[in-house]
PDB file of all heavy atoms in Angstrom:
ATOM      1  N   ALA D 262      75.659 101.522  68.516  1.00  0.00           N
ATOM      2  CA  ALA D 262      74.673 100.477  68.756  1.00  0.00           C
ATOM      3  C   ALA D 262      73.827 100.788  69.986  1.00  0.00           C
ATOM      4  O   ALA D 262      72.608 100.589  69.995  1.00  0.00           O
ATOM      5  CB  ALA D 262      75.367  99.125  68.918  1.00  0.00           C
ATOM      6  N   GLN D 263      74.466 101.293  71.047  1.00  0.00           N
ATOM      7  CA  GLN D 263      73.714 101.631  72.258  1.00  0.00           C
ATOM      8  C   GLN D 263      72.757 102.794  71.995  1.00  0.00           C
ATOM      9  O   GLN D 263      71.652 102.837  72.552  1.00  0.00           O
ATOM     10  CB  GLN D 263      74.678 101.975  73.381  1.00  0.00           C
ATOM     11  CG  GLN D 263      74.009 102.132  74.750  1.00  0.00           C
ATOM     12  CD  GLN D 263      73.316 100.862  75.200  1.00  0.00           C
ATOM     13  OE1 GLN D 263      73.922  99.797  75.246  1.00  0.00           O
ATOM     14  NE2 GLN D 263      72.032 100.953  75.517  1.00  0.00           N
ATOM     15  N   GLU D 264      73.150 103.722  71.160  1.00  0.00           N
ATOM     16  CA  GLU D 264      72.258 104.836  70.805  1.00  0.00           C
ATOM     17  C   GLU D 264      71.001 104.319  70.115  1.00  0.00           C
ATOM     18  O   GLU D 264      69.911 104.871  70.318  1.00  0.00           O
ATOM     19  CB  GLU D 264      73.003 105.826  69.907  1.00  0.00           C
ATOM     20  CG  GLU D 264      74.082 106.610  70.625  1.00  0.00           C
ATOM     21  CD  GLU D 264      75.004 107.380  69.686  1.00  0.00           C
ATOM     22  OE1 GLU D 264      74.893 107.161  68.458  1.00  0.00           O
ATOM     23  OE2 GLU D 264      75.820 108.175  70.160  1.00  0.00           O
ATOM     24  N   ILE D 265      71.138 103.280  69.315  1.00  0.00           N
ATOM     25  CA  ILE D 265      69.966 102.698  68.644  1.00  0.00           C
ATOM     26  C   ILE D 265      69.011 102.128  69.686  1.00  0.00           C
ATOM     27  O   ILE D 265      67.800 102.402  69.661  1.00  0.00           O
ATOM     28  CB  ILE D 265      70.418 101.599  67.656  1.00  0.00           C
ATOM     29  CG1 ILE D 265      71.316 102.174  66.567  1.00  0.00           C
ATOM     30  CG2 ILE D 265      69.193 100.921  67.032  1.00  0.00           C
ATOM     31  CD1 ILE D 265      71.941 101.123  65.669  1.00  0.00           C
ATOM     32  N   ALA D 266      69.522 101.334  70.604  1.00  0.00           N
ATOM     33  CA  ALA D 266      68.673 100.726  71.633  1.00  0.00           C
ATOM     34  C   ALA D 266      68.028 101.782  72.515  1.00  0.00           C
ATOM     35  O   ALA D 266      66.837 101.692  72.855  1.00  0.00           O
ATOM     36  CB  ALA D 266      69.495  99.749  72.478  1.00  0.00           C
ATOM     37  N   ASP D 267      68.786 102.809  72.897  1.00  0.00           N
ATOM     38  CA  ASP D 267      68.248 103.859  73.766  1.00  0.00           C
ATOM     39  C   ASP D 267      67.149 104.647  73.077  1.00  0.00           C
ATOM     40  O   ASP D 267      66.225 105.140  73.728  1.00  0.00           O
ATOM     41  CB  ASP D 267      69.368 104.810  74.193  1.00  0.00           C
ATOM     42  CG  ASP D 267      70.368 104.148  75.119  1.00  0.00           C
ATOM     43  OD1 ASP D 267      70.030 103.081  75.686  1.00  0.00           O
ATOM     44  OD2 ASP D 267      71.486 104.671  75.272  1.00  0.00           O
ATOM     45  N   THR D 268      67.216 104.777  71.766  1.00  0.00           N
ATOM     46  CA  THR D 268      66.199 105.522  71.018  1.00  0.00           C
ATOM     47  C   THR D 268      64.869 104.779  70.994  1.00  0.00           C
ATOM     48  O   THR D 268      63.800 105.396  71.042  1.00  0.00           O
ATOM     49  CB  THR D 268      66.692 105.776  69.580  1.00  0.00           C
ATOM     50  OG1 THR D 268      67.892 106.554  69.628  1.00  0.00           O
ATOM     51  CG2 THR D 268      65.645 106.522  68.767  1.00  0.00           C
ATOM     52  N   LEU D 269      64.913 103.467  70.956  1.00  0.00           N
ATOM     53  CA  LEU D 269      63.698 102.675  70.776  1.00  0.00           C
ATOM     54  C   LEU D 269      62.944 102.412  72.074  1.00  0.00           C
ATOM     55  O   LEU D 269      61.748 102.099  72.048  1.00  0.00           O
ATOM     56  CB  LEU D 269      64.060 101.341  70.115  1.00  0.00           C
ATOM     57  CG  LEU D 269      64.655 101.453  68.699  1.00  0.00           C
ATOM     58  CD1 LEU D 269      65.153 100.099  68.232  1.00  0.00           C
ATOM     59  CD2 LEU D 269      63.627 102.015  67.728  1.00  0.00           C
ATOM     60  N   VAL D 270      63.612 102.524  73.200  1.00  0.00           N
ATOM     61  CA  VAL D 270      62.991 102.231  74.510  1.00  0.00           C
ATOM     62  C   VAL D 270      62.998 103.508  75.338  1.00  0.00           C
ATOM     63  O   VAL D 270      64.013 104.198  75.406  1.00  0.00           O
ATOM     64  CB  VAL D 270      63.775 101.115  75.235  1.00  0.00           C
ATOM     65  CG1 VAL D 270      63.209 100.859  76.623  1.00  0.00           C
ATOM     66  CG2 VAL D 270      63.763  99.825  74.414  1.00  0.00           C
ATOM     67  N   PRO D 271      61.873 103.862  75.974  1.00  0.00           N
ATOM     68  CA  PRO D 271      60.627 103.093  76.147  1.00  0.00           C
ATOM     69  C   PRO D 271      59.491 103.514  75.225  1.00  0.00           C
ATOM     70  O   PRO D 271      58.405 102.966  75.308  1.00  0.00           O
ATOM     71  CB  PRO D 271      60.265 103.417  77.587  1.00  0.00           C
ATOM     72  CG  PRO D 271      60.694 104.839  77.740  1.00  0.00           C
ATOM     73  CD  PRO D 271      61.920 105.009  76.901  1.00  0.00           C
ATOM     74  N   ASP D 272      59.707 104.525  74.361  1.00  0.00           N
ATOM     75  CA  ASP D 272      58.602 105.081  73.601  1.00  0.00           C
ATOM     76  C   ASP D 272      58.062 104.135  72.535  1.00  0.00           C
ATOM     77  O   ASP D 272      56.896 104.224  72.154  1.00  0.00           O
ATOM     78  CB  ASP D 272      59.035 106.397  72.940  1.00  0.00           C
ATOM     79  CG  ASP D 272      59.294 107.488  73.963  1.00  0.00           C
ATOM     80  OD1 ASP D 272      58.703 107.404  75.054  1.00  0.00           O
ATOM     81  OD2 ASP D 272      60.085 108.398  73.686  1.00  0.00           O
ATOM     82  N   PHE D 273      58.928 103.244  72.023  1.00  0.00           N
ATOM     83  CA  PHE D 273      58.486 102.360  70.951  1.00  0.00           C
ATOM     84  C   PHE D 273      58.354 100.918  71.408  1.00  0.00           C
ATOM     85  O   PHE D 273      57.475 100.194  70.949  1.00  0.00           O
ATOM     86  CB  PHE D 273      59.497 102.441  69.802  1.00  0.00           C
ATOM     87  CG  PHE D 273      59.136 101.616  68.596  1.00  0.00           C
ATOM     88  CD1 PHE D 273      58.092 101.992  67.764  1.00  0.00           C
ATOM     89  CD2 PHE D 273      59.848 100.467  68.294  1.00  0.00           C
ATOM     90  CE1 PHE D 273      57.763 101.231  66.650  1.00  0.00           C
ATOM     91  CE2 PHE D 273      59.528  99.700  67.180  1.00  0.00           C
ATOM     92  CZ  PHE D 273      58.483 100.096  66.361  1.00  0.00           C
ATOM     93  N   ALA D 274      59.213 100.498  72.316  1.00  0.00           N
ATOM     94  CA  ALA D 274      59.229  99.098  72.749  1.00  0.00           C
ATOM     95  C   ALA D 274      59.620  99.036  74.217  1.00  0.00           C
ATOM     96  O   ALA D 274      60.097 100.012  74.798  1.00  0.00           O
ATOM     97  CB  ALA D 274      60.205  98.291  71.893  1.00  0.00           C
ATOM     98  N   ASP D 275      59.411  97.849  74.806  1.00  0.00           N
ATOM     99  CA  ASP D 275      59.793  97.628  76.203  1.00  0.00           C
ATOM    100  C   ASP D 275      61.179  97.013  76.325  1.00  0.00           C
ATOM    101  O   ASP D 275      61.837  97.162  77.355  1.00  0.00           O
ATOM    102  CB  ASP D 275      58.771  96.708  76.882  1.00  0.00           C
ATOM    103  CG  ASP D 275      57.382  97.311  76.894  1.00  0.00           C
ATOM    104  OD1 ASP D 275      57.257  98.496  77.239  1.00  0.00           O
ATOM    105  OD2 ASP D 275      56.418  96.605  76.535  1.00  0.00           O
ATOM    106  N   ILE D 276      61.616  96.309  75.291  1.00  0.00           N
ATOM    107  CA  ILE D 276      62.917  95.640  75.284  1.00  0.00           C
ATOM    108  C   ILE D 276      63.530  95.872  73.908  1.00  0.00           C
ATOM    109  O   ILE D 276      62.849  95.737  72.883  1.00  0.00           O
ATOM    110  CB  ILE D 276      62.776  94.125  75.527  1.00  0.00           C
ATOM    111  CG1 ILE D 276      62.386  93.844  76.980  1.00  0.00           C
ATOM    112  CG2 ILE D 276      64.057  93.387  75.173  1.00  0.00           C
ATOM    113  CD1 ILE D 276      63.508  93.994  77.971  1.00  0.00           C
ATOM    114  N   ALA D 277      64.811  96.232  73.877  1.00  0.00           N
ATOM    115  CA  ALA D 277      65.507  96.400  72.599  1.00  0.00           C
ATOM    116  C   ALA D 277      66.925  95.876  72.723  1.00  0.00           C
ATOM    117  O   ALA D 277      67.546  95.999  73.780  1.00  0.00           O
ATOM    118  CB  ALA D 277      65.519  97.868  72.167  1.00  0.00           C
ATOM    119  N   TRP D 278      67.424  95.277  71.661  1.00  0.00           N
ATOM    120  CA  TRP D 278      68.799  94.801  71.635  1.00  0.00           C
ATOM    121  C   TRP D 278      69.373  94.983  70.240  1.00  0.00           C
ATOM    122  O   TRP D 278      68.626  95.088  69.241  1.00  0.00           O
ATOM    123  CB  TRP D 278      68.903  93.332  72.064  1.00  0.00           C
ATOM    124  CG  TRP D 278      67.863  92.412  71.475  1.00  0.00           C
ATOM    125  CD1 TRP D 278      66.745  91.953  72.082  1.00  0.00           C
ATOM    126  CD2 TRP D 278      67.848  91.842  70.154  1.00  0.00           C
ATOM    127  NE1 TRP D 278      66.036  91.142  71.239  1.00  0.00           N
ATOM    128  CE2 TRP D 278      66.686  91.048  70.044  1.00  0.00           C
ATOM    129  CE3 TRP D 278      68.703  91.937  69.061  1.00  0.00           C
ATOM    130  CZ2 TRP D 278      66.352  90.364  68.887  1.00  0.00           C
ATOM    131  CZ3 TRP D 278      68.369  91.249  67.899  1.00  0.00           C
ATOM    132  CH2 TRP D 278      67.208  90.459  67.833  1.00  0.00           C
ATOM    133  N   VAL D 279      70.701  95.065  70.178  1.00  0.00           N
ATOM    134  CA  VAL D 279      71.411  95.199  68.902  1.00  0.00           C
ATOM    135  C   VAL D 279      72.507  94.148  68.869  1.00  0.00           C
ATOM    136  O   VAL D 279      73.345  94.077  69.775  1.00  0.00           O
ATOM    137  CB  VAL D 279      72.023  96.600  68.736  1.00  0.00           C
ATOM    138  CG1 VAL D 279      72.791  96.691  67.413  1.00  0.00           C
ATOM    139  CG2 VAL D 279      70.944  97.674  68.798  1.00  0.00           C
ATOM    140  N   ASP D 280      72.477  93.301  67.846  1.00  0.00           N
ATOM    141  CA  ASP D 280      73.516  92.307  67.609  1.00  0.00           C
ATOM    142  C   ASP D 280      74.318  92.719  66.378  1.00  0.00           C
ATOM    143  O   ASP D 280      73.735  93.115  65.361  1.00  0.00           O
ATOM    144  CB  ASP D 280      72.910  90.919  67.367  1.00  0.00           C
ATOM    145  CG  ASP D 280      72.172  90.392  68.594  1.00  0.00           C
ATOM    146  OD1 ASP D 280      72.488  90.839  69.708  1.00  0.00           O
ATOM    147  OD2 ASP D 280      71.277  89.540  68.427  1.00  0.00           O
ATOM    148  N   LEU D 281      75.646  92.634  66.464  1.00  0.00           N
ATOM    149  CA  LEU D 281      76.511  92.979  65.341  1.00  0.00           C
ATOM    150  C   LEU D 281      77.436  91.812  65.024  1.00  0.00           C
ATOM    151  O   LEU D 281      77.795  91.020  65.907  1.00  0.00           O
ATOM    152  CB  LEU D 281      77.353  94.222  65.665  1.00  0.00           C
ATOM    153  CG  LEU D 281      76.593  95.541  65.851  1.00  0.00           C
ATOM    154  CD1 LEU D 281      77.564  96.649  66.202  1.00  0.00           C
ATOM    155  CD2 LEU D 281      75.782  95.893  64.619  1.00  0.00           C
ATOM    156  N   ALA D 282      77.822  91.727  63.755  1.00  0.00           N
ATOM    157  CA  ALA D 282      78.756  90.686  63.335  1.00  0.00           C
ATOM    158  C   ALA D 282      80.111  90.910  64.007  1.00  0.00           C
ATOM    159  O   ALA D 282      80.543  92.045  64.207  1.00  0.00           O
ATOM    160  CB  ALA D 282      78.909  90.697  61.818  1.00  0.00           C
ATOM    161  N   HIS D 283      80.781  89.805  64.359  1.00  0.00           N
ATOM    162  CA  HIS D 283      82.093  89.899  65.000  1.00  0.00           C
ATOM    163  C   HIS D 283      83.056  90.721  64.147  1.00  0.00           C
ATOM    164  O   HIS D 283      83.837  91.527  64.664  1.00  0.00           O
ATOM    165  CB  HIS D 283      82.671  88.503  65.230  1.00  0.00           C
ATOM    166  CG  HIS D 283      81.957  87.718  66.279  1.00  0.00           C
ATOM    167  ND1 HIS D 283      82.184  87.892  67.616  1.00  0.00           N
ATOM    168  CD2 HIS D 283      80.993  86.756  66.191  1.00  0.00           C
ATOM    169  CE1 HIS D 283      81.405  87.065  68.316  1.00  0.00           C
ATOM    170  NE2 HIS D 283      80.671  86.371  67.464  1.00  0.00           N
ATOM    171  N   ALA D 284      83.007  90.521  62.831  1.00  0.00           N
ATOM    172  CA  ALA D 284      83.933  91.230  61.947  1.00  0.00           C
ATOM    173  C   ALA D 284      83.704  92.734  61.989  1.00  0.00           C
ATOM    174  O   ALA D 284      84.644  93.520  61.894  1.00  0.00           O
ATOM    175  CB  ALA D 284      83.785  90.712  60.509  1.00  0.00           C
ATOM    176  N   VAL D 285      82.464  93.153  62.131  1.00  0.00           N
ATOM    177  CA  VAL D 285      82.146  94.583  62.152  1.00  0.00           C
ATOM    178  C   VAL D 285      82.831  95.263  63.330  1.00  0.00           C
ATOM    179  O   VAL D 285      83.326  96.393  63.221  1.00  0.00           O
ATOM    180  CB  VAL D 285      80.619  94.786  62.219  1.00  0.00           C
ATOM    181  CG1 VAL D 285      80.261  96.245  62.484  1.00  0.00           C
ATOM    182  CG2 VAL D 285      79.977  94.332  60.916  1.00  0.00           C
ATOM    183  N   LEU D 286      82.881  94.596  64.457  1.00  0.00           N
ATOM    184  CA  LEU D 286      83.457  95.194  65.660  1.00  0.00           C
ATOM    185  C   LEU D 286      84.956  95.430  65.526  1.00  0.00           C
ATOM    186  O   LEU D 286      85.521  96.247  66.256  1.00  0.00           O
ATOM    187  CB  LEU D 286      83.178  94.296  66.868  1.00  0.00           C
ATOM    188  CG  LEU D 286      81.692  94.124  67.210  1.00  0.00           C
ATOM    189  CD1 LEU D 286      81.521  93.089  68.302  1.00  0.00           C
ATOM    190  CD2 LEU D 286      81.085  95.450  67.636  1.00  0.00           C
TER     191      LEU D 286
END
Side-chain angles (χ1 to χ4, degrees):
Q263 189 61 54
E264 290 168 351
I265 298 172
D267 292 343
T268 299
L269 297 172
V270 176
D272 293 335
F273 182 72
D275 299 314
I276 289 284
W278 44 259
V279 178
D280 296 336
L281 294 178
H283 290 279
V285 170
L286 297 173

